[in-house]
């Protein structure tokens, strides 16, 4: 894939975005509110998986610091470079024992060819998830994020993502549910572009709309839409 460029660069007048807005008018209003958005450029696929493991359950700042130490130690985030390091040295860089084991398992599976990252695009979403969750430390949520942000898959809806559930409840003005399945209700409206809908829902949190204290309708009335 073309590294260094965003996987998704979305504009309200783009074909996929327009199709989503036409099929789901409320999502269309959210798209109009937010406008254009783009995902961050991604690095090589192995690097993205290693970064995902390093970042688990710690702050963005802490993850960046530890990742920098690991790269300083190993020279790069690659299977050969990581496998060449002792567990003790990786622990000294700030990794937990479990994350050291996860990174070594990832490196071993990729180097041995058990998981061929370059051929993942040949597989459908569920097949990719099945392969990735065979790696220690990679769960379904991490695999779904990889599908969206590294592989650019268009119809991935991460039902376990709490942020998406919260944003869906706000955008669709849903009643409280004990099971918290707001996203499951909303996603039935999305024709093949669940990833794009998800990106707009996440962005509604990032830009402060969801936590504004206003309902979705109030927010639309209070914000000028170009």
């Amino acid at each position: 894939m073309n590294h260094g460029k965003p996987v998704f660069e979305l504009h309200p007048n783009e074909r996929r975005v327009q199709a989503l807005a036409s099929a789901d008018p409320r999502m269309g209003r959210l798209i109009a509110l937010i406008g254009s958005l783009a995902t961050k450029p991604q690095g090589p696929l192995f690097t993205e998986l290693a970064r995902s493991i390093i970042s688990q359950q710690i702050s963005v700042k802490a993850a960046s610091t530890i990742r920098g130490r690991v790269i300083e130690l190993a020279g790069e985030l690659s299977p050969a470079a990581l496998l060449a390091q002792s567990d003790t040295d990786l622990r000294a860089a700030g990794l937990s024992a479990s994350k050291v084991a996860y990174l070594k398992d990832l490196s071993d599976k990729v180097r041995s060819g058990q998981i061929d990252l370059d051929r993942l695009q040949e597989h459908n979403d569920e097949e990719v998830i099945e392969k990735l969750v065979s790696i220690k430390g990679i769960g379904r949520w991490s695999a779904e994020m990889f599908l969206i942000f590294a592989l650019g898959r268009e119809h991935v809806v991460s039902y376990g993502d709490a942020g998406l559930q919260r944003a869906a409840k706000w955008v669709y003005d849903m009643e409280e549910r004990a099971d918290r399945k707001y996203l499951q209700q909303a996603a039935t409206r999305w024709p093949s572009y669940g990833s794009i809908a998800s990106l707009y829902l996440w962005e509604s949190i990032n830009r402060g709309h969801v936590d504004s204290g206003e309902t979705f309708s109030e927010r639309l009335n209070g914000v000028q839409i170009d």
Side-chain angles (χ1 to χ4, degrees), residues 84-132:
Q85 310 310 312
S86 70
D87 290 7
T88 301
D89 286 345
L90 288 170
R91 288 291 306 278
L95 292 169
S96 65
S98 59
K99 287 183 181 179
V100 170
Y102 298 161
L103 287 172
K104 292 282 183 87
D105 187 60
L106 166 65
S107 300
D108 186 59
K109 284 184 166 71
V110 171
R111 189 173 70 169
S112 69
Q114 184 175 342
I115 292 181
D116 187 343
L117 296 178
D118 293 331
R119 299 189 67 176
L120 285 181
Q121 284 287 26
E122 299 174 13
H123 301 280
N124 66 37
D125 294 348
E126 284 302 321
E127 289 169 343
V128 173
I129 289 172
E130 183 180 355
K131 289 179 179 297
L132 292 181

Side-chain angles (χ1 to χ4, degrees), residues 186-226:
T188 60
R189 304 167 170 88
W190 303 334
S192 304
Y193 297 124
S195 299
I196 294 173
S198 297
L199 290 169
Y200 275 100
L201 289 173
W202 275 314
E203 193 66 12
S204 71
I205 297 175
N206 294 339
R207 298 196 186 184
H209 296 309
V210 174
D211 299 314
S212 65
E214 297 176 304
T215 66
F216 182 53
S217 296
E218 289 169 343
R219 195 66 173 165
L220 290 175
N221 290 333
V223 177
Q224 181 176 349
I225 296 175
D226 296 328

